[in-house]
Amino acid sequence: MPPEDAFLRDVARLESTGMATGRLREFHFALSALFRRYLDRRFGLETEPLTTAELLRTLHSIRQELGISPAPLTALKEHMEVMDLVKFARYAPSAAEQFQAVQGLKDFVETHRPAPEEPRPDSRPALSLEGEGDGGNEKGKR
């Protein structure tokens, strides 16, 4: 399963637990872990040992190689800062902040889905250069 689909599936499962309303810290720790797993799988990173600040610096420093423009990184920074406040400072976000943090991660993931791969020239079906009715493999042509 592509990392984008796995992330969105797992976030939907997390949201269905009801943690977002009663166990905010636990919800945000889990959401952060899911997002880091997505980053690891999607971009080949190892994010677990990094603080949020280190992670954001890393993403910024290699953003061009990863195909990430500055605007999504700025938005991601805001969402991750709210998540850190909830996780470490026991901040209670408003319902709007909560929604924006979750939706912001989903938007980042959707925005950075890889484009469908173009068929490689060697995987395209071979075109026959022979004329029609010249004795090819088609039945009834003779």
Side-chain angles (χ1 to χ4, degrees), residues 41-88:
R41 288 187 60 213
R42 170 63 177 88
F43 297 112
L45 303 174
E46 188 176 332
T47 61
E48 198 213 327
L50 303 177
T51 65
T52 298
E54 291 168 335
L55 171 60
L56 291 168
R57 272 195 305 275
T58 298
L59 288 174
H60 183 74
S61 70
I62 60 174
R63 71 177 178 76
Q64 288 181 323
E65 297 103 81
L66 301 179
I68 301 172
S69 62
L73 276 181
T74 300
L76 183 60
K77 179 180 184 285
E78 293 172 11
H79 303 309
M80 293 187 82
E81 285 174 347
V82 168
M83 290 170 51
D84 276 0
L85 286 172
V86 174
K87 293 186 314 187
F88 303 115

Side-chain angles (χ1 to χ4, degrees), residues 3-138:
E4 298 78 18
D5 296 339
F7 174 79
L8 295 172
R9 179 204 59 207
D10 293 344
V11 169
R13 286 180 182 163
L14 179 63
E15 289 176 310
S16 73
T17 65
M19 265 193 258
T21 56
R23 300 179 345 239
L24 285 175
R25 286 186 75 225
E26 190 177 343
F27 176 83
H28 282 273
F29 272 108
L31 182 61
S32 178
L34 292 174
F35 187 68
R36 285 170 180 262
R37 185 178 321 134
Y38 156 76
L39 290 172
D40 294 348
R41 288 187 60 213
R42 170 63 177 88
F43 297 112
L45 303 174
E46 188 176 332
T47 61
E48 198 213 327
L50 303 177
T51 65
T52 298
E54 291 168 335
L55 171 60
L56 291 168
R57 272 195 305 275
T58 298
L59 288 174
H60 183 74
S61 70
I62 60 174
R63 71 177 178 76
Q64 288 181 323
E65 297 103 81
L66 301 179
I68 301 172
S69 62
L73 276 181
T74 300
L76 183 60
K77 179 180 184 285
E78 293 172 11
H79 303 309
M80 293 187 82
E81 285 174 347
V82 168
M83 290 170 51
D84 276 0
L85 286 172
V86 174
K87 293 186 314 187
F88 303 115
R90 299 191 187 271
Y91 175 69
S94 68
E97 285 176 307
Q98 176 86 357
F99 175 80
Q100 288 171 345
V102 174
Q103 191 60 47
L105 297 183
K106 290 178 183 178
D107 290 345
F108 181 92
V109 167
E110 287 292 352
T111 300
H112 295 93
R113 262 185 200 278
E117 290 188 35
E118 296 278 326
R120 295 186 325 184
D122 61 333
S123 67
R124 292 185 181 149
L127 298 176
S128 174
L129 298 178
E130 300 174 25
E132 282 189 27
D134 64 355
N137 290 333
E138 295 177 281

